[in-house]
Amino acid sequence: MPRMNNDSEAVIAVNRFGLGARGSELTAAARDPRQWLTKQMVSPSYVASRFTTVAAFQQFSEYRQRVRDQRKAPAQNESSNMQDKGPSGAGTAPAKVIRQTQRALIFDGLWQSIMSAEPFSMRMLDFFSNHFSVSMTSIQLNVLAPLLELDAVAPHLFGQFEDMLIAVIKHPAMLVYLDNTQSTGPASRVGKKRQRGLNENLAREILELHTLGIDGGYSLGDIRELARALSGWSISRPRDKAQKGFVYRRDMHEPGARTLLGIPYRDGEVEQGEQMLRDLARHPATGRFVCHKLAQHLVSDMPDEGLVDAMSAQWQQTNGNLGAVIRVLIAHDASWREERQKFKTPREFVISTLRALEIQEASPPRFLRQLHRHLRDMGQAPFGSGSPAGYPISNRHWDGADALMKRIDWANTVVAVSAQSNKSALEISSRLFSTQLDGATRQAMERAETDRQARALLFLSPDFQRR
Amino acid sequence: MNRRQWLAAVGSSLVCWHSRGAALSNQKTPKLVWLVLRGAMDGLHAVLPLADSDLLRHREKLVTAVQERAHRLDRGFALHPALPTLAKLYRQKELLTIVATSSGATTRSHFRAQDILESGYNRADNESGWLNRAVEAKRGQSLAVAHGVPISLRGRHLTQTWYPDHFVESKGDLFERLQSLYSEDDLLSQRLMSGLQTRDKLSVIDQVNRRNRFAQLASSCGTLMRAEDGPDCAMLQLEGWDTHQGQVRRLQTKFSELDAGIVSLRTALRNEWDNTVVIVATEFGRTVAANGTLGTDHGTGSALFLLGGAVAGGRVLGEWPGLKKSELFMGRDLAPTSDNRSWIGAVLKQHWQLTDQQLNNVFPEVPPAPERIIKSDLMRDTTVLG
């Protein structure tokens, strides 16, 4: 296949693999579109200063203590509870603090993507954050969930998959979300004394969703063996002063040698589970599963088989080096077909629109400070998929009628509140598509009543909705 | 051309792709509404077992606050005073109350139990919901009144979602321009038309007054369902049932909200109400005894409501397990004597005529209850009761 000119490839690099051009990104990409992508393969330079996992634990402990105090207090009569807002009660600071933290963390994540000079890297972060999906299903998870992406996913984005896997599984958000914190080996000290047992949720989802995939050829016995190896992988208790976060509890760990997928593992402590995760990460079925999903995320719901084959082969050769696998994807011609096969998700749509408008970080209007609410309205609340499988990747989940109406309303509002942008609609369109813009879109924009309407039409055009 | 004229102009072409199911039957299709009460509704406060002499011993303050005004049902049960519409439906034989039911969940975690309630499996599958499997078997259409697709409607069958948003609504001119911009794009122009149709079906009031109150959502849901090409089933949800404290006052509010929602759903459905079954369920019940903050904690057995014009109502069903200490589940909870899924299965069998094989796919672990749930004159196949 003849190589396209750099202009076409740059449009693809910026829109398909990035998050739409911000500023003069397209010009930069046009010099060498593929290199423009590989240069972004660094862990996102996230400003994580606002919050840490340790602080999250602190906040949650305070909150819980407060709730306990309230419950223990003698029952007051009904009328004194008039301002009651659930267990948080009136004026309970910790719950409010947690809500503020939660909002700030979500907002930060979105603004990072909007401002990023490495949009491709942010797309990869979105992918793996969703691959290891945790949802804000409890007050504790409201603050822990965003930290998983920050602490465990981002640092390993272009490194070995096994390192990311282990960091994710040890992260408190995952251990809490998939119920591993209380999982106890029946033959462990605690298991024998208190008749407690295993919880297989985490082990099952690791095999089904994180590594081998549902058709990856594992048995119920494998789930149990992995669950036994992971028993005792827990989190610190609020009163633990020395340690915050992941804690390995020996007295809950099932002793003994294990067998996973036919491979024997010696009796061991935390290393036993770590070794299993390492082997799972390197497994060819895992490579195939993750590569296929990655190609679906970036290129097409039905990705080219040759592309997935090449990526999977690289996975095996490098024991799952994500950077090497992604380089194969970038180098492959199937990734650069002109047809736009992916319908943007709400998140991609919203972020790429705001990038195109060159929204500035300093004091965004009220409308934009509520981005997380808008994404919820569009069905893709951050950390809100409600499923360990994360949000679906395929187009059909995002291109429904109500979804389109919401995009129209949102776009119509955002072009109004961002009126201070000094670029005209046509200028914005050439920064996104150079000369590749569809004739119908150009015509619609030129005929628009106002430039504001022209911008709305641009963002709602098939060119911009698909990538 | 304004939007209405434009819709009228394109209206004829809509029929082609929207009426696959509708064209088959001129008769009305049986409708189903699935309403999930999230947070664990206290079944003992909704349907008070006043005839059980142990009730007062466990939760005197909670009971005495409402028992005088409660609406009397059969078998010594009574409905909470804030549920007058449900009481009226009971008298009109359009409400079945089922006591001591469970979702099949053995966990006391809200979201795990909700996952089980929605997926319909003993071990929740977050990607496959019972209503999705049922409507797929029926080859029907479905609607989720939600931001995203809830588990109940996840799966192979593709559902529509609708929910009011926080955005300023766009005007006709932009839609016309978009329609022309999408003229070469089949998918987008189809979606736009379908989206505009939905907006058109909802009354002006729905559009202007966009606060997300449950009654309004229920009303919009009913309006969308009764439309000619409306969905066969819809899912609604109402949160806020986790009453660890101040239960008397909080449930007074919640039950009023629920009752008002049923009123507006019924009003919006108009004649379709006669073909409708509304299933009202929660993930688990609450402790029999009141706690120290005049609330109740996470428990097990709760209550299930089946209501609608199609329901053969006016009865309290479900075996009563009793409230003696020895009769309680784990010494603290109302012991469930039946599974929600057996009653829902019976609805699917009698209302939607699903076969045993299809039912087994929807709820593999629980067979349908044998009781008559649907009015017999509405049942096309009267042999289902054997």
Side-chain angles (χ1 to χ4, degrees), chain A residues 388-449:
Chain A
Y391 283 109
I393 286 184
S394 56
N395 291 348
R396 70 172 195 134
H397 290 280
W398 305 115
D399 65 12
D402 193 50
L404 178 64
M405 298 305 281
K406 293 203 159 86
R407 285 181 195 214
I408 296 172
D409 288 343
W410 183 83
N412 202 23
T413 314
V414 84
V415 294
V417 301
S418 64
Q420 76 275 19
S421 167
N422 51 8
K423 300 274 183 313
S424 74
L426 282 167
E427 277 175 287
I428 296 173
S429 79
S430 75
R431 282 171 166 238
L432 284 163
F433 300 109
S434 179
T435 56
Q436 318 277 312
L437 190 69
D438 185 71
T441 307
R442 176 174 294 277
Q443 202 179 53
M445 286 165 63
E446 279 165 351
R447 287 182 182 171
E449 249 177 13

Side-chain angles (χ1 to χ4, degrees), chain A residues 105-116:
Chain A
L105 280 167
I106 293 177
F107 188 74
D108 275 1
L110 291 166
W111 277 97
Q112 289 292 335
S113 290
I114 292 162
M115 306 303 294
S116 178

Side-chain angles (χ1 to χ4, degrees), chain A residues 75 179 399 406 409 460 466, chain B residues 112 163 182 185 191 199 292:
Chain A
D179 308 319
D399 65 12
K406 293 203 159 86
D409 288 343
L460 295 165
R466 295 201 175 81
Chain B
R112 287 265 168 241
Y163 205 83
Y182 293 166
D185 193 312
R191 295 296 192 257
R199 283 207 176 163

Side-chain angles (χ1 to χ4, degrees), chain B residues 123-139:
Chain B
R123 203 193 77 79
D125 177 346
N126 292 47
E127 301 308 317
S128 179
W130 73 262
L131 189 53
N132 189 291
R133 299 192 294 276
V135 72
E136 186 189 28
K138 190 184 184 304
R139 297 166 185 271

